[in-house]
Amino acid sequence: MPETKTPLIQMRNINKAFGPVQALKDVNFTLAPGEILGLVGDNSAGKSTLMKVLTGAYHRDTGDVLVDGQPTDFRSPHESRDKGIEMIYQDFALCGNMDIAQNIFLGRWPRRGLFVDRKRMYADAEAVLSRLKVDVNSVFQKVESLSGGRQQSVAIARAISFNPRVVILDEPTANLSVMATERLLETMAELKRQGVAQIIISHRLTDIFEVGDRIMVLKRGQNVGDRYIAHTDEHEVLELIVSGTPETAITADQALAARAA
């Protein structure tokens, strides 16, 4: 059985409604330090809603969120960032008319007195990209001239510049070429080696099975399954997505114990 780790993130009995629509119902979620977790389900499963609750973009109706075992009540993404949680949205939220370095440090360009310290900003940008092992022609290059894969790398570099402990990626490979997807998965693996935990919201199970440690399934806002990647397959996960129910949901450790019995 995999070594038990003290959870970095715990979400307990999370409920969130938008008017008459119950988006999340008693959802439980855990993330270990340095773990890559795939969060999957159909389009109405509640994946993005759960992560927006974690980051403070949405406020939960009921339930508890703990970081390092300590209760938290994030009211905005700025507050979750202070605890080391970053989310990269599908649209990347980049400024195309600005260059790579300006985007990485957008809103917090280093200053020397009243002026932007451009030399430091570009040096720091190169250092962040080097940490990710991402090659670009120049940090002076305009983002609008980059491919989708390179823009994704800039978005990740911006998140990493905050030295996060957790990075959440929303459909990170949805619009990427095969080659760009391979580079992104390599970047995820590199972040894992550096101890950064990651949550991948994705419909592409192949990508999650390539780099993930564990996979969690939501259906209609409820937990329906949780498995270790090493002890499941895409067929079982697809069955959970299509026909899983909260009544039959078991944790990864329970599934592993059942297999060993």
Side-chain angles (χ1 to χ4, degrees):
M1 183 177 297
E3 180 183 354
T4 301
K5 299 178 181 179
T6 301
L8 173 57
I9 303 292
Q10 291 177 283
M11 303 178 77
R12 299 173 178 169
N13 302 316
I14 300 297
N15 287 276
K16 177 64 181 176
F18 298 97
V21 178
Q22 189 71 35
L24 298 171
K25 183 177 180 181
D26 294 326
V27 175
N28 293 299
F29 175 93
T30 63
L31 181 72
E35 181 179 36
I36 298 182
L37 170 68
L39 184 58
V40 302
D42 58 29
N43 288 332
S44 59
K47 306 180 298 296
S48 293
T49 300
L50 183 65
M51 291 299 97
K52 288 179 180 179
V53 167
L54 173 58
T55 62
Y58 292 158
H59 195 260
R60 62 193 181 275
D61 297 331
T62 59
D64 300 304
V65 177
L66 297 88
V67 178
D68 292 325
Q70 300 300 311
T72 64
D73 189 21
F74 300 138
R75 294 288 176 170
S76 74
H78 293 290
E79 293 184 6
S80 62
R81 173 174 288 160
D82 290 341
K83 290 291 187 179
I85 302 170
E86 285 287 332
M87 184 164 181
I88 301 170
Y89 293 95
Q90 195 170 350
D91 64 1
F92 306 154
L94 299 173
C95 295
N97 63 334
M98 294 183 179
D99 64 35
I100 291 173
Q102 289 170 328
N103 269 277
I104 290 175
F105 296 103
L106 188 63
R108 53 198 174 94
W109 295 342
R111 291 187 172 274
R112 180 183 297 171
L114 298 176
F115 302 99
V116 174
D117 189 342
R118 296 176 64 85
K119 181 178 180 180
R120 176 184 165 192
M121 180 173 67
Y122 289 106
D124 288 351
E126 289 180 343
V128 173
L129 292 169
S130 176
R131 174 184 171 184
L132 293 174
K133 298 185 178 179
V134 171
D135 294 323
V136 295
N137 291 332
S138 169
V139 291
F140 296 93
Q141 190 173 357
K142 291 288 192 293
V143 163
E144 62 191 4
S145 70
L146 301 175
S147 66
R150 292 302 187 194
Q151 289 188 22
Q152 175 74 279
S153 295
V154 173
I156 294 174
R158 182 175 59 194
I160 293 303
S161 70
F162 288 97
N163 292 315
R165 303 169 68 196
V166 180
V167 174
I168 305 163
L169 300 107
D170 190 1
E171 297 291 352
T173 62
N175 300 308
L176 301 185
S177 67
V178 173
M179 184 175 295
T181 295
E182 290 177 355
R183 284 199 299 263
L184 178 59
L185 296 178
E186 290 171 359
T187 298
M188 291 178 185
E190 179 60 31
L191 288 176
K192 178 178 173 62
R193 285 191 286 271
Q194 296 178 19
V196 179
Q198 296 159 78
I199 303 166
I200 309 170
I201 304 172
S202 181
H203 287 90
R204 295 176 61 165
L205 296 182
T206 301
D207 297 339
I208 294 173
F209 273 78
E210 179 73 21
V211 296
D213 298 300
R214 189 162 56 90
I215 191 163
M216 176 178 145
V217 185
L218 292 180
K219 187 176 180 67
R220 296 176 184 170
Q222 296 179 271
N223 295 102
V224 295
D226 186 339
R227 302 288 187 273
Y228 289 112
I229 294 293
H231 300 282
T232 189
D233 54 36
E234 292 188 31
H235 178 72
E236 182 184 17
V237 174
L238 283 171
E239 283 195 343
L240 290 169
I241 292 172
V242 173
S243 58
T245 64
E247 291 75 19
T248 59
I250 59 176
T251 68
D253 287 326
Q254 288 171 331
L256 191 55
R259 284 174 178 263

